[in-house]
Amino acid sequence: MSQAQQTLLKARWIVSMAPGSEVLNEHALVMEGERIAALLPWAEAETRYPDAAKVELGSHVLIPGLINGHTHSAMSLLRGVADDVPLMDWLNNHIWPLEKKWVSEDWTYQGSLLSAAESLRGGVTYLNDMYFFPTAMARAAVDSGLRAGVSINVIDFPTGYASGPDDYIAKGLAAYQQFKGEKLLDWTSAPHAPYTVSDETFIKLRQLAEQHGMQMHCHIHETQDEVDGSLKQYGMRPLERLNKLGLLNEKMMAVHMVHLNEDEIAMLARQKVHLVHNPNSNMKLASGVCPVTALEAAGVNTILGTDGAASNNRQDMFGEIRAAALLAKGSTQNPTTVSARSALEMATIRAAKAMGRGDDLGSLEVGKLADVVAVSLDALECRPVYNPEAQLVYVAGREHVSDVWVGGRQVLKGRELTTVDQGALLDRIEGIVARMKTER
């Protein structure tokens, strides 16, 4: 590979998130093509790679690209449309009626591109999405240079996208085949939730995941009403039902998981289910508090997601990392639970494992894909710096992200997107929202 494809990032600190690693001081990260070639002290890096393009990053910390374990990207177009209402009221009386009227391929693409742009500006290089019109999410990811887990999303009732479960699956598989081999994309088999998906459909989606080697992605145990409804309809809690259907294993990413008992936590650990914690969305919708401390103690791989901008209302993983640490401490009255390091792991190395991408993503290690984020700690709000890891969790925010690379390609430079025309995108978004407001 030619020297022209080598880039040397010189930063004050590197938090690699490799297992057992410590903060690297005055080190450089060398990218060669789409992968990481070296992590070396400044002087050694410049000696070994004299012809590499150099990026001087001053008082920055380099971290792996953050992974958003659960979102509904297109719903950024519904940001703020229905706040301060309970989940089922929010869904039945606000979100689902609006989606039925407005959701289309272009609507989904524009909303997904808005979320991709917001995410990249916040240091997120991977979105695990769940929504309709998967071709739109796939195009938005590719056009923006973002990685995405694109869903074959299924719900048992008809929408403006599909007429029923078999139609959702057929359209999702067609999208998967269309984009198969695109290196920025992974695909998930994504039943919406136990209260919207039948046993028959769950089994079909489990078989789909097995056939194509996909992870599964599902809302589970989000509210107490969901659990109570399952007991009434099926005579068992949702997790017991899904276990009987053969869905609870290392392929399952179970989202929310707020209402859990001790036996369920032990089962999740035993069967290696990945849990996606959405602290801010759960707080905003008053769904409850996920028992992260108990899950951590049991050894459940717990990661973080934002949920969609219609319920959060931010696609802000720095906010989720901080909230996860603080909420766990406050709810257990234990200041040692969910350390800064653990909170960062939930958005990086653990999240990559949940997506089935642990060999390539989630940490800055030689040979892994060069998904790299530079966070500036120059600002007075970020000084002094005693512990860069803690600073990232308790002090810095997404506004301090200066530069982002995905697979060695710079997609954010000095806070400016290199892949998306921000002004043109905002003009299109304003046009869509103006029509929605006029015709509501």
Side-chain angles (χ1 to χ4, degrees):
M1 189 169 289
S2 68
Q3 291 293 312
Q5 293 176 286
Q6 295 175 338
T7 304
L8 189 154
L9 309 180
K10 187 177 175 182
R12 176 66 180 81
W13 303 278
I14 297 178
V15 174
S16 74
M17 300 310 300
S21 64
E22 297 182 352
V23 176
L24 299 175
N25 292 285
E26 298 184 351
H27 272 59
L29 181 147
V30 180
M31 300 184 296
E32 191 168 77
E34 67 177 5
R35 295 192 178 268
I36 297 169
L39 295 163
L40 297 167
W42 286 348
E44 186 178 349
E46 292 184 344
T47 298
R48 284 184 55 184
Y49 297 90
D51 298 321
K54 294 182 179 61
V55 180
E56 297 278 352
L57 288 166
S59 294
H60 285 63
V61 54
L62 296 182
I63 61 172
L66 301 178
I67 298 172
N68 184 346
H70 174 68
T71 188
H72 311 284
S73 293
M75 294 180 79
S76 58
L77 292 178
L78 300 176
R79 193 194 320 262
V81 78
D83 292 324
D84 307 324
V85 292
L87 174 63
M88 297 317 296
D89 180 8
W90 179 80
L91 280 172
N92 288 307
N93 299 320
H94 301 277
I95 300 303
W96 283 342
L98 282 168
E99 288 182 325
K100 185 176 182 180
K101 182 172 183 178
W102 290 104
V103 173
S104 66
E105 176 81 19
D106 184 65
W107 190 95
T108 303
Y109 173 77
Q110 303 299 344
S112 298
L113 192 61
L114 178 60
S115 281
E118 177 183 358
S119 298
L120 290 172
R121 279 170 51 84
V124 176
T125 57
Y126 193 121
L127 294 180
N128 187 30
D129 192 58
M130 180 192 281
Y131 209 62
F132 312 119
F133 294 98
T135 50
M137 179 67 234
R139 289 192 298 116
V142 172
D143 289 350
S144 66
L146 177 82
R147 295 191 197 279
V150 185
S151 71
I152 299 176
N153 188 25
V154 180
I155 199 165
D156 265 7
F157 54 80
T159 64
Y161 168 59
S163 60
D166 290 341
D167 195 22
Y168 287 102
I169 292 171
K171 287 178 175 175
L173 274 173
Y176 167 68
Q177 293 297 338
Q178 180 182 340
F179 286 90
K180 193 173 182 180
E182 169 53 58
K183 63 185 179 181
L184 288 173
L185 305 180
D186 297 313
W187 290 78
T188 65
S189 175
H192 173 260
Y195 58 89
T196 56
V197 175
S198 67
D199 286 3
E200 180 184 5
T201 303
F202 269 123
I203 291 169
K204 287 180 180 179
L205 288 168
R206 187 202 73 204
Q207 293 170 340
L208 176 72
E210 291 168 352
Q211 180 181 353
H212 295 284
M214 296 175 180
Q215 299 294 95
M216 294 196 74
H217 183 193
C218 184
H219 303 96
I220 308 172
H221 282 229
E222 183 173 2
T223 66
Q224 187 61 49
D225 284 347
E226 176 194 333
V227 176
D228 294 343
S230 180
L231 286 166
K232 184 176 181 180
Q233 183 175 358
Y234 297 98
M236 64 186 86
R237 291 162 68 89
L239 276 173
E240 182 182 357
R241 176 182 160 219
L242 296 187
N243 191 39
K244 288 180 181 294
L245 295 173
L247 271 76
L248 299 187
N249 54 44
E250 71 280 356
K251 293 290 188 181
M252 174 59 79
M253 290 179 286
V255 182
H256 296 300
M257 301 290 274
V258 172
H259 301 277
L260 299 170
N261 59 38
E262 290 183 5
D263 289 342
E264 288 166 340
I265 291 171
M267 178 177 65
L268 294 171
R270 186 169 59 250
Q271 295 178 208
K272 297 181 170 56
V273 174
H274 309 283
L275 188 147
V276 190
H277 178 32
N278 297 255
N280 282 305
S281 177
N282 291 156
M283 286 191 285
K284 185 167 180 285
L285 290 170
S287 299
V289 179
C290 177
V292 174
T293 299
L295 291 160
E296 293 271 280
V300 176
N301 185 41
T302 304
I303 73 171
L304 294 175
T306 61
D307 212 346
S311 66
N312 183 321
N313 302 22
R314 299 158 63 98
Q315 305 283 277
D316 178 5
M317 283 298 291
F318 277 87
E320 301 304 325
I321 291 166
R322 187 169 192 266
L326 297 184
L327 185 60
K329 297 173 194 301
S331 62
T332 61
Q333 300 181 52
N334 176 4
T336 69
T337 191
V338 186
S339 66
R341 176 75 179 201
S342 292
L344 288 171
E345 287 177 351
M346 290 178 184
T348 54
I349 190 72
R350 296 190 201 177
K353 178 183 177 183
M355 290 303 308
R357 297 298 305 275
D359 291 342
D360 265 342
L361 302 172
S363 60
L364 302 179
E365 297 183 72
V366 172
K368 284 197 169 186
L369 288 164
D371 290 9
V372 186
V373 172
V375 184
S376 173
L377 300 183
D378 281 318
L380 63 88
E381 301 96 323
C382 294
R383 294 303 186 95
V385 181
Y386 294 105
N387 179 342
E389 288 184 351
Q391 209 82 346
L392 289 166
V393 176
Y394 301 122
V395 180
R398 64 179 177 177
E399 67 274 15
H400 298 116
V401 172
S402 64
D403 301 87
V404 175
W405 292 262
V406 178
R409 177 192 185 191
Q410 189 160 17
V411 292
L412 187 76
K413 184 175 183 178
R415 298 287 302 148
E416 293 295 323
L417 295 163
T418 68
T419 54
V420 178
D421 184 332
Q422 183 173 315
L425 173 61
L426 290 175
D427 286 343
R428 296 195 299 272
I429 297 303
E430 286 303 308
I432 292 170
V433 172
R435 291 194 298 275
M436 290 175 63
K437 287 180 177 178
T438 301
E439 299 179 33
R440 276 187 75 176

